[in-house]
Amino acid sequence: MRTGIIPAMSSPPLADLHLHSDCSDGRLAPAALVALAASRGVRHLALTDHDTVAGLGEAAAACAAEGLRFTPGVEVTALWRGQSLHVIGLGLDAGDAALGAHLEDLRRRRRDRLQAIGERLARRARLAQAPA
């Protein structure tokens, strides 16, 4: 059975250091993701949700319960020379105040950008429906 998340392999991976939970754009809660990884033979994993460390505690506890090695991580959105990049950070301190503030700023900017896009689309829809 292939779920699209951590595909079944003939030789199971020992580690997966780039996983997303439903704390960002994944489909499974951190504990469910850990259970799936364990069932697929993963022995060491990192949760690297986009711009949030919200799921790290749950993932760490689930890894401990499953006997898996856990590395806390995050996938940070960055700009470089006008290009959007995603940078994986591993082994971080999820309680670091500066990191938390930076991640919150990234999420706020994303919300603001999505709000502006929604407003532009709504304006265009109203213009398209206006009588000529």
Side-chain angles (χ1 to χ4, degrees), residues 23-49:
C23 292
S24 66
D25 63 345
R27 296 187 305 200
L28 299 175
L33 182 62
V34 168
L36 178 61
S39 76
R40 297 289 171 90
V42 173
R43 304 306 311 150
H44 179 185
L45 67 83
L47 183 63
T48 55
D49 281 317

Side-chain angles (χ1 to χ4, degrees), residues 6-132:
I6 312 173
M9 299 178 185
S10 58
S11 174
L14 296 177
D16 193 331
L17 302 179
H18 185 192
L19 293 170
H20 297 283
S21 75
D22 64 356
C23 292
S24 66
D25 63 345
R27 296 187 305 200
L28 299 175
L33 182 62
V34 168
L36 178 61
S39 76
R40 297 289 171 90
V42 173
R43 304 306 311 150
H44 179 185
L45 67 83
L47 183 63
T48 55
D49 281 317
H50 290 279
D51 302 325
T52 183
V53 294
L56 293 181
E58 182 182 340
C63 281
E66 291 279 355
L68 304 182
R69 184 172 171 199
F70 178 70
T71 298
V74 67
E75 184 168 347
V76 178
T77 303
L79 285 174
W80 183 71
R81 296 185 179 182
Q83 297 293 315
S84 180
L85 303 173
H86 293 170
V87 179
I88 302 292
L90 298 173
L92 54 87
D93 174 2
D96 182 81
L99 175 63
H102 180 69
L103 295 175
E104 177 55 37
D105 184 55
L106 290 172
R107 291 189 303 272
R108 180 191 52 76
R109 288 187 210 181
R110 180 180 297 114
R111 283 190 303 269
D112 292 349
R113 187 174 65 251
L114 291 174
Q115 178 69 32
I117 290 169
E119 290 168 2
R120 284 194 305 273
L121 289 172
R123 212 171 19 256
R124 287 180 182 174
R126 284 192 302 272
L127 289 173
Q129 294 174 357

